[in-house]
Amino acid sequence: MATAHRKNNLDFVKRAEIPKNSLEGVKELYLSKQEAQNIKKYPEWDVPRINPAFELIKARRDLNISEQKLREKWIEQEEKRKEMDEQWNNLREQELIFRESFIKYNTFVKENQEKRQRAKRKISEERERQTKYQEDVDDLEEKLNYMKGMCEKMQKHVEIYRKYQNYLERVVNETGSFKSITDIFQRYESLIEAKASLSEDQDKNIQLLEETETNIHHMTDVKSQTLIRLNNKLSMLQGRYEKAKVQALKWETLVSKIKEAAIEKYLELTRVKTCCRNLYHQICQRKGIPLTVADDDIEQQLLNIKRTILELRRIISTTKKVAAKV
């Protein structure tokens, strides 16, 4: 009977609830020990005496309870480890997301700054292009007004000389000797030239006859003087020939030097033109605009190059100002 009573006591022993928080478990253990020390133990007359078998059973029960608590603590630790790992992974993912967001925001800010600079540059170029187009329009309007004035003047001249044209056309139609008005003018010019030639030949022949008659009369008297004069003239001409020869050699040398200098200048000018054309082509290619100036128009190419240099200077100054502000 005592054994049955002992079993009933073992079966109906109320086990303490194991707290999930380790600190609270330590606290309860400490309090329970304090209470156990303060409780006065009285002999229980209805409880069997303590023997080694009972102590063994009690030790086994305590061991089982401790193992159960240890397993629960291990399970709780594993769950907490899993929760900490999940939280750590979530923090890493958030860190990566924040890092990517920061990189994207930095890239976005840089792109916006570059787009703003490009927009400013395009606005400046568009304003300069509008100014240039306006200047071209003004020049074309001036040329158009000048051409209109010239057209009106030419129209007045045509109206003045139209009666002569009508007369010449009537001559061509009525005579039948000419095919066009140009033939009439050519015939008139040929007749005038023939008349002038005949008059000149006649004057020359009359003058030649008069000179011949005079020469015949004075030939015998002036022949000796003429011979002496011719000899003197020959010597003088010989001297002049020598001087002219020296001068000709001098001038030929000077002309050859001038030609060499002119060739060098021409080669230098050709190189400058080639450099200007190549520079203009490179500017158009980098800007992505078509070639609107002819290759032989150096003046316009230099103007475009000058305009591009001024644009680059403005862009550099603007960039420096923006960099200084930033």
Side-chain angles (χ1 to χ4, degrees), residues 16-200:
E17 294 181 358
I18 298 172
K20 293 183 179 180
N21 193 352
S22 60
L23 294 175
E24 291 181 358
V26 173
K27 182 179 178 182
E28 290 179 359
L29 178 63
Y30 179 76
L31 291 174
S32 65
K33 287 182 178 181
Q34 290 291 332
E35 291 176 357
Q37 290 176 2
N38 294 327
I39 294 173
K40 294 181 179 181
K41 295 183 178 180
Y42 295 97
E44 296 179 358
W45 300 103
D46 57 348
V47 178
R49 294 180 180 180
I50 300 171
N51 55 15
F54 181 76
E55 291 293 333
L56 179 62
I57 292 170
K58 186 178 180 181
R60 287 180 178 177
R61 185 186 66 183
D62 293 336
L63 180 60
N64 292 327
I65 292 170
S66 298
E67 288 178 354
Q68 183 67 26
K69 288 182 179 180
L70 182 61
R71 283 194 295 272
E72 291 177 355
K73 291 294 182 181
W74 277 109
I75 292 170
E76 184 180 357
Q77 183 182 3
E78 290 296 329
E79 291 177 354
K80 287 184 178 181
R81 183 179 293 277
K82 290 180 181 179
E83 291 179 359
M84 293 297 292
D85 290 337
E86 290 179 357
Q87 291 178 1
W88 184 254
N89 292 327
N90 290 329
L91 288 174
R92 282 185 177 178
E93 290 177 357
Q94 290 179 0
E95 181 183 2
L96 293 174
I97 291 170
F98 289 151
R99 186 174 295 174
E100 292 177 356
S101 300
F102 179 75
I103 293 170
K104 289 180 180 179
Y105 179 75
N106 191 13
T107 306
F108 177 73
V109 170
K110 289 182 180 179
E111 290 178 354
N112 285 337
Q113 186 175 4
E114 292 176 357
K115 289 179 180 178
R116 185 177 180 183
Q117 292 178 357
R118 286 198 298 270
K120 288 182 179 180
R121 187 166 58 251
K122 288 182 180 179
I123 290 170
S124 178
E125 292 176 357
E126 186 65 26
R127 287 178 179 174
E128 292 178 358
R129 193 179 296 109
Q130 290 179 359
T131 304
K132 180 179 177 298
Y133 287 161
Q134 187 63 38
E135 292 176 357
D136 294 338
V137 168
D138 295 336
D139 293 338
L140 291 173
E141 286 180 353
E142 291 180 0
K143 290 180 181 180
L144 181 61
N145 294 327
Y146 176 75
M147 295 300 292
K148 286 181 179 179
M150 291 296 295
C151 183
E152 291 177 357
K153 289 181 181 179
M154 294 298 293
Q155 191 67 30
K156 290 179 181 179
H157 285 290
V158 169
E159 292 296 332
I160 292 171
Y161 293 105
R162 189 178 295 279
K163 56 184 179 179
Y164 302 107
Q165 182 179 1
N166 295 330
Y167 173 75
L168 293 173
E169 288 178 353
R170 191 172 62 184
V171 169
V172 172
N173 293 327
E174 292 180 358
T175 57
S177 300
F178 304 100
K179 294 181 180 179
S180 63
I181 297 174
T182 306
D183 293 338
I184 296 174
F185 283 113
Q186 290 178 356
R187 181 68 175 277
Y188 174 75
E189 290 175 357
S190 63
L191 291 174
I192 293 298
E193 289 177 358
K195 182 180 178 182
S197 179
L198 291 173
S199 298
E200 187 178 357

Side-chain angles (χ1 to χ4, degrees), residues 213-229:
E213 186 178 359
T214 303
N215 289 330
I216 290 171
H217 288 292
H218 295 284
M219 188 178 295
T220 55
D221 295 331
V222 299
K223 192 172 182 180
S224 58
Q225 296 177 2
T226 302
L227 184 60
I228 295 170
R229 189 171 61 252

